[in-house]
Structures are given as structure tokens and as C-alpha cells.
Amino acid sequence: MTVANSTAKALKTTGRAVKTTAKGADAATRFNVRHWRALLPVHVIALAGLAAAAANLAVWIWGPWAWVFVLVIAATVWVWIDGIIGDLDRSVQAAAAAQLMFGTACAVAFTFAATWAPVWGVVVAAGMILAIWWWSGDSLFTRYRSSERRSRKMGSALHALGACDATRVTSVNTNKKGDVEYRVFVGDADRPEKFRDADIAHQLHVDASRVIARRVSAGDSRRMKIIVLHAAASAKRNVPHPALERENRAKGAAWAPGSRDVLEGLPIGRAISSVEDRESTAGIFTSDPDAKCLGIFGISGSGKTNTSSSLLLSAIACGNLIVAGADPVKFDLGKYHAAAMHRRARTIDEVIADLEAIEVLSHDRIQRLDTMKDPDGNRMRNWIPTREHPGLLYLIDELTVMLSQATSTQADRLTRLLESLPKHVRQAGISIAFITQSINAMEIPTTLTSQYGSNFIGHQVKKGHDGDVQGWSVDVTEKGLPTRGQCWVGNPDGGDPTKTLAYDADSAITKQADEWDAMIAEYAAARPALSKHEAGILGWPQRAGQDQAAEAAVEPAEAAQEAPAVQGLGAEDLEAEEYGEVDLADVPEGEAADLDTDALAEVPHAARVVTALRTAGAALSIAALTQETKVPKRTLQRLLGRLADDGLVVREGASTATVYRLAA
């Protein structure tokens, strides 16, 4: 029993050794054919000599009967090499077969006539002839070298995408235009849909619009073709926004002022992830429809500002969307769209005030949904934008910088608002959007970015973000987005992002200033208006462009006219003659008002605030104070801060629950 077990174990060990040796020999031979092909004729001669020496040694040791063993081994090796040749590209199979026949002839000659000198001359001459054929400039060697190199490169790309060992490139063909077609056999563990054209393009380091990947036939899951075009079909540069063309803004045209619908998306560029030249849109409404908040990220110089300009231009072309923005850092977001925007906040306090008012508006709209019907007369659960009841987009620039510049209290309020608002303002047709250089968790809390799902416009980021970003399995580094303006545009419904080249808005703003301003003026005239009710809640003007006009003209005019009238007056005269019986405790009793021009200009506003708080007899939110006093929101926010610093007004609560009351 022991002897039998020992014999069986020895046979198993021998079998494993033979199998391992065969695999190693097979791998070594394939490597030799592919990587040392330039010296293949020399290798063939050397291998033929080794085979002849082995045959003669076997006959010398075991006698004439060893020829049978030698012939069996030779036939096995010959069939094995012939199988390798069968797996090669069709264009090189003839040359490889010639090398096999040459090796066979050399082995026979060296075995039976190795001592005859002319045999060596014939072998060397035949080898040189084959080498010349193999190495001749534009003939098979060149084709073999390029096609084999392409085949290996495509095979590496597929395996990098998770292809199993059975999936392989079977042929490579090139047409006259330079387009390369790969035929791929798909293994059992893979499916053709696994290998998307955009992913393959990333692995090959070419533009995604140059790659087409599909099945050879509709019902064939084993074979697919991958075509790499010689030139990209839609990778154009500096594509202008279609709204810039005057004929596109004519009555009845696609970009006529007020004719666009936000439910159809906001075009920002051309898709470059498919051969079809199509528009790429950023969505702030899902197909339900339900509003969806939006994020835009990318390193400095990646094209965020240009993309944002295209987004804003498409937004103001919509007849059912109110557009507002905030940029307390650079003060330039929407600078060239201002005439068609309802609001541009310039300080952190103004941003906080706007977000708090938007929260109040969302609650108000949600309550009003119970009394509203959709165009088909059905009950509405979500706010469907129309010209009479428009949606609202509020875009915040440089979020990470703003959070770093804010005080701890301001940063806390901003973060809380941005975390909470996306949860419920969407039902009210409101979208909160932000722009930032990074969505790194060290700079923006994940509790904030998670509210935005995958609805991001992602530009190039630092290497630290390589890999999975917001649920996308795409490359957002320099390799994946090599050109300024290229970005991935998320799908609000959760679908795959679209690789996009944004419209070139910056060039139009700088080089076609007159045409740009004329276009914005056309759109401003067709912008939807806020209802008086909603304008009162927000503290914004009803018509677009009036916010900037009020900031630039109305308040300075008030200061210039009111300051001289109150200079030198005592507190009693100031109260009785100008502003009625109100308590202005910040003006010393019985003394001249020693205030600067800006402070004097705000005295009537302060009077109204104090009166409103006294009349109410309770704490009021900033939205309620705006509605009661009719004081511009940014002025009210600034004024409440000064009154709180002076101890006249007390601020209670935090974030969305902030209220103000008179000090006891």
C-alpha cells in the first residue's frame, strides 16, 4: 500500500512538473515570437541546431529505436508551434509559417548532414533571404510590427478594464483613412457592454470621440469590434454658445428670448463621449420633474468660470427660471449677465440672508402646492416651472474660499444651510448650486456634497481625486480631461456622466463685448418676473436687473439727499421732524448727531426696523423684517449687524431659525 501510494505520488509530481514545464515553454515561445522577432531567423537556426544535437544524443545513448521517440517529439512540437502561428495576426501568418518550414528543414539538415559544409552555407543563405523578407521596409515585417503593437496595446487596455484571460484581440485592420478596426473575442466571464468606448479611449489616451465599441451583430455576445478613428469626430475647440448667433435668437428660433424650458436642461457644450455631435446639458430638474441641486468643481484654470458663464447664459434664456448668484470672493460671477439676473450677493452675510429667505420661500411654495394644478388639471406634488410660477437657480461661486474666509459663526450657518436646503427646496422648484476648486472632504463636508448625489459638473482635479468621484468611475485627472473646458456632466436622474467640451463663453465676453451685451439685453427684456408676494419674501426686485440698479443708484442717492438734512440736528428734532416718534437710542440724547454719511443714510431704515420690532412685540426673522420694513435685504442685513453690535437688537437662534428682537 505504501509502495503504491509512493508511486502514485511520484507520478502526480512528475505530471505537475511536465505541465508546468510545458506552460513555461509555451509562454517563453510566445514571448520570443512577439518580443524578439527582429532576430527570429537566428533563433530558428539556433533552435534547429539544438533539436538536431538532442536527436543525435538520444540515438547515441539508446540506439536506433530512439528515432521513433525523436519523431514523436518532433511532430508534437511542430503541431504546437503551428497552433501558435494560427493565433497570430492574419497578415503575418504566411511569414511565420515560412519560418516554421525553414526551422524544420534546418533541423533535418543538421541531424543528418551536419558535417557537410555546403549545408551550413545553404542554411545561412536561406536565413538571410527570410530575414530580408521579414525586415523589408513596407512589407510584412512593418505591418506585423505595427499591428502586433496595436494588438498588444488594445489587449492591455481591455485587461486594465477587467477583461478575463479568454478575452483577446483576434485581428487588427487599418483602412486608407487611418481608422483602425480591432476584432475582439469576448470570454465567458465578460460581456461586450462591459467595455465602453469612453473607458477604452481613456486607456488608449485618445479623445473619447475617436473610439466606437459595439457588437459585431446584435445577437452576438462573443464578438465585438472596436474602431479607433484617425481623427476625432467632434473634438472641436472654441465652440461658441449657439445663443450668440443672432439668427438663433430670432422669433421662433431655438434660442429666442424666453423660449427655452429649464425642464429640457441647460446646454453647456458639446458631448465628446460619442461619435454623434450632440449637445450636452446640465440638468437642474429630473424627469419627474423634481428640482435637483448642482455642483461644479475643478482646479484653477480647468475652465469652471467659462462653463459657469455658459450655464448662466442658458439659464437666462429660459422663460420659466429665476436666476440669482453670489460671489463674495471675486465679485465677478454673473458680472456680464447681471442685466438678466434677479440678484447678485456680494458679502457673506448677504449670502446667508438669501439662503434663509430661500428656505422661507420653499416652505411657502410647498404650502401653496395644495391649491395648484398642473397643465393637465392634476394635483401637483412638485413645483413645475412655468412663466407664471418660475423655478429658481441660486449659484454660489468659490464655496471653499468663502467658507475659509468666513467667521466660525458664518461658516457654521452657511454649512448648515447648504446641508439642509437641498433636502426640501427641491420640491419647491428651487436649485442651490455651488462652484468650488475641490470637493475634498477636508475642505467641504461630505454631509454637504452627499446631498447633491452625482449631479456635478466635474473639471480636472488634482491627482488626489483620481478614481471614484461622486459615484463616477471616470478619470478626472489631467490624463482624463487633458484640455481646458473639458468636463464630466452628471445626470440628475442618476445615469452615467457625459464627457463634454464646454462652449467658449469667455472669448465672446472679451472679444465680442458689444454683441454679448446686446444679447444679454434681449434676454433681460424677456425674463420672467417674481410675484409681489415672493419678491417680498426674498427681498429681491420683481424684475431682473433691478437689483444691480438699486445697488448702484438708489442707495447712494438716498445717502446724498438725506445726510445734509440731518447734519447738526439733535435726537429729538431728528425723531419729530423727519422720521416720526421712534426710539433711536444710537443717537445721543440732547446732542448733535455725530454720524458719518453712510450711518446717517441708514437712520430712516433703523427707525423702520425698530418700529417693526416694537409693533410686533416679538422676535422676527430677517425675511419677515424685509417684508415689514421694505428695506433692501443687503442694507437690512448690514444694519441688523450694527444694531446688534450696539446692543439695541438681540439675535437669537442659529442658521435657519435666526430671529431678531429689541433688547430689553
Side-chain angles (χ1 to χ4, degrees):
M1 186 70 178
T2 303
V3 174
N5 289 338
S6 178
T7 303
K9 186 176 181 180
L11 290 174
K12 288 181 180 179
T13 302
T14 303
R16 285 196 296 268
V18 171
K19 183 178 180 180
T20 303
T21 303
K23 286 184 176 180
D26 179 76
T29 303
R30 291 178 184 274
F31 182 88
N32 183 59
V33 170
R34 290 188 172 114
H35 297 278
W36 294 94
R37 54 184 176 272
L39 297 176
L40 193 56
V42 177
H43 291 166
V44 169
I45 294 174
L47 290 174
L50 289 175
N56 284 311
L57 180 61
V59 172
W60 180 71
I61 294 174
W62 291 297
W65 67 270
W67 286 112
V68 177
F69 179 75
V70 169
L71 288 174
V72 171
I73 295 297
T76 302
V77 172
W78 197 94
V79 171
W80 169 50
I81 296 176
D82 182 66
I84 293 177
I85 294 173
D87 290 337
L88 296 177
D89 187 88
R90 187 178 299 276
S91 63
V92 301
Q93 286 182 350
Q99 294 287 353
L100 176 61
M101 301 306 296
F102 172 64
T104 303
C106 287
V108 172
F110 292 157
T111 301
F112 297 104
T115 58
W116 190 30
V119 168
W120 290 93
V122 171
V123 168
V124 172
M128 291 182 64
I129 293 172
L130 285 176
I132 293 172
W133 178 32
W134 196 252
W135 294 334
S136 58
D138 296 329
S139 66
L140 288 174
F141 171 66
T142 301
R143 285 162 50 198
Y144 169 68
R145 182 175 60 185
S146 61
S147 63
E148 184 65 19
R149 184 173 63 249
R150 288 169 176 160
S151 178
R152 290 200 309 272
K153 188 173 182 179
M154 179 59 72
S156 298
L158 295 177
H159 285 292
L161 296 174
C164 66
D165 293 338
T167 298
R168 64 183 184 274
V169 178
T170 57
S171 66
V172 183
N173 296 304
T174 306
N175 63 17
K176 294 181 180 180
K177 295 187 296 183
D179 302 336
V180 182
E181 179 183 299
Y182 300 83
R183 290 297 179 104
V184 178
F185 175 80
V186 182
D188 292 338
D190 297 326
R191 288 293 180 270
E193 293 75 16
K194 179 178 180 179
F195 308 107
R196 299 183 303 174
D197 46 10
D199 296 335
I200 296 171
H202 294 160
Q203 294 296 329
L204 297 178
H205 301 172
V206 300
D207 196 283
S209 61
R210 291 179 54 191
V211 178
I212 308 170
R214 60 180 179 84
R215 299 186 183 206
V216 173
S217 59
D220 192 347
S221 62
R222 288 294 191 184
R223 295 180 301 158
M224 65 178 295
K225 64 167 62 176
I226 301 172
I227 302 173
V228 180
L229 303 176
H230 178 66
S234 59
K236 299 178 181 178
R237 299 292 181 265
N238 301 321
V239 179
H241 196 291
L244 286 164
E245 298 293 335
R246 187 176 296 275
E247 56 270 22
N248 289 343
R249 302 196 305 272
K251 186 176 181 180
W255 288 90
S259 65
R260 304 288 298 184
D261 186 349
V262 68
L263 296 178
E264 297 175 356
L266 304 176
I268 64 166
R270 309 302 298 182
I272 55 176
S273 57
S274 66
V275 176
E276 300 162 355
D277 187 14
R278 61 182 177 85
E279 206 163 45
S280 177
T281 61
I284 59 172
F285 278 85
T286 63
S287 56
D288 290 338
D290 185 17
K292 190 77 172 178
C293 294
L294 175 70
I296 303 175
F297 66 87
I299 61 174
S300 179
S302 60
K304 298 189 305 299
T305 301
N306 178 77
T307 303
S308 302
S309 295
S310 296
L311 178 74
L312 284 174
L313 179 54
S314 295
I316 65 175
C318 295
N320 56 350
L321 182 68
I322 300 297
V323 182
D327 186 3
V329 178
K330 298 186 300 183
F331 312 113
D332 66 348
L333 176 68
K335 178 179 180 180
Y336 302 100
H337 308 72
M341 296 174 64
H342 276 73
R343 169 71 162 159
R344 287 182 66 217
R346 291 175 175 244
T347 68
I348 296 176
D349 284 336
E350 289 176 2
V351 177
I352 294 172
D354 283 348
L355 294 178
E356 290 176 340
I358 286 173
E359 183 172 38
V360 175
L361 175 64
S362 70
H363 293 313
D364 180 79
R365 282 189 168 188
I366 292 172
Q367 291 177 356
R368 283 189 283 144
L369 281 175
D370 294 335
T371 63
M372 299 174 66
K373 302 290 184 180
D374 66 13
D376 297 327
N378 300 317
R379 178 184 298 171
M380 290 172 56
R381 295 202 51 152
N382 296 321
W383 191 274
I384 300 177
T386 63
R387 189 166 186 85
E388 294 74 24
H389 306 288
L392 190 152
L393 170 65
Y394 192 85
L395 181 60
I396 305 171
D397 197 9
E398 297 292 353
L399 179 60
T400 51
V401 180
M402 183 174 66
L403 289 174
S404 65
Q405 292 181 355
T407 65
S408 59
T409 302
Q410 290 174 328
D412 179 66
R413 292 174 67 192
L414 278 170
T415 303
R416 289 175 180 271
L417 283 167
L418 290 171
E419 287 175 350
S420 63
L421 287 177
K423 297 177 182 178
H424 57 81
V425 299
R426 297 185 295 108
Q427 187 180 359
I430 300 171
S431 174
I432 307 295
F434 68 81
I435 307 170
T436 178
Q437 292 191 16
S438 172
I439 56 171
N440 194 302
M442 298 296 292
E443 300 179 55
I444 298 182
T446 55
T447 51
L448 190 159
T449 55
S450 63
Q451 298 297 326
Y452 289 71
S454 60
N455 198 33
F456 278 82
I457 301 177
H459 296 74
Q460 184 187 131
V461 298
K462 295 179 180 178
K463 193 67 176 177
H465 279 307
D466 192 8
D468 189 20
V469 175
Q470 293 302 127
W472 303 345
S473 296
V474 299
D475 190 350
V476 289
T477 64
E478 185 176 357
K479 182 177 69 173
L481 298 171
T483 304
R484 182 180 183 275
Q486 285 190 0
C487 55
W488 285 99
V489 180
N491 188 320
D493 290 309
D496 292 332
T498 302
K499 193 173 184 181
T500 301
L501 181 65
Y503 290 129
D504 184 14
D506 286 351
S507 294
I509 291 173
T510 57
K511 299 178 181 178
Q512 305 174 43
D514 293 340
E515 296 178 26
W516 179 274
D517 293 342
M519 173 189 66
I520 296 298
E522 291 181 28
Y523 282 126
R527 300 292 293 127
L530 279 169
S531 68
K532 186 176 181 180
H533 173 71
E534 293 191 344
I537 293 175
L538 293 169
W540 300 355
Q542 290 184 259
R543 302 294 306 179
Q546 292 179 354
D547 179 61
Q548 296 303 116
E551 176 71 14
V554 174
E555 292 185 12
E558 283 184 7
Q561 293 172 5
E562 296 174 64
V566 296
Q567 289 286 4
L569 292 179
E572 294 181 359
D573 295 332
L574 183 64
E575 293 177 9
E577 294 186 16
E578 295 291 332
Y579 307 110
E581 297 297 329
V582 295
D583 182 13
L584 292 177
D586 55 335
V587 180
E589 183 71 25
E591 298 180 9
D594 186 17
L595 303 175
D596 59 21
T597 302
D598 290 338
L600 288 171
E602 290 186 353
V603 167
H605 298 323
R608 277 179 285 207
V609 171
V610 172
T611 300
L613 290 173
R614 179 181 294 153
T615 303
L620 297 177
S621 67
I622 193 168
L625 280 170
T626 302
Q627 190 169 5
E628 290 292 330
T629 63
K630 310 304 180 185
V631 175
K633 178 65 71 66
R634 65 184 63 186
T635 302
L636 181 60
Q637 184 72 22
R638 182 172 61 249
L639 180 59
L640 286 170
R642 291 181 57 188
L643 293 176
D645 292 340
D646 292 339
L648 303 175
V649 170
V650 177
R651 178 178 177 273
E652 297 176 340
S655 187
T656 57
T658 302
V659 293
Y660 299 87
R661 64 174 177 80
L662 286 177

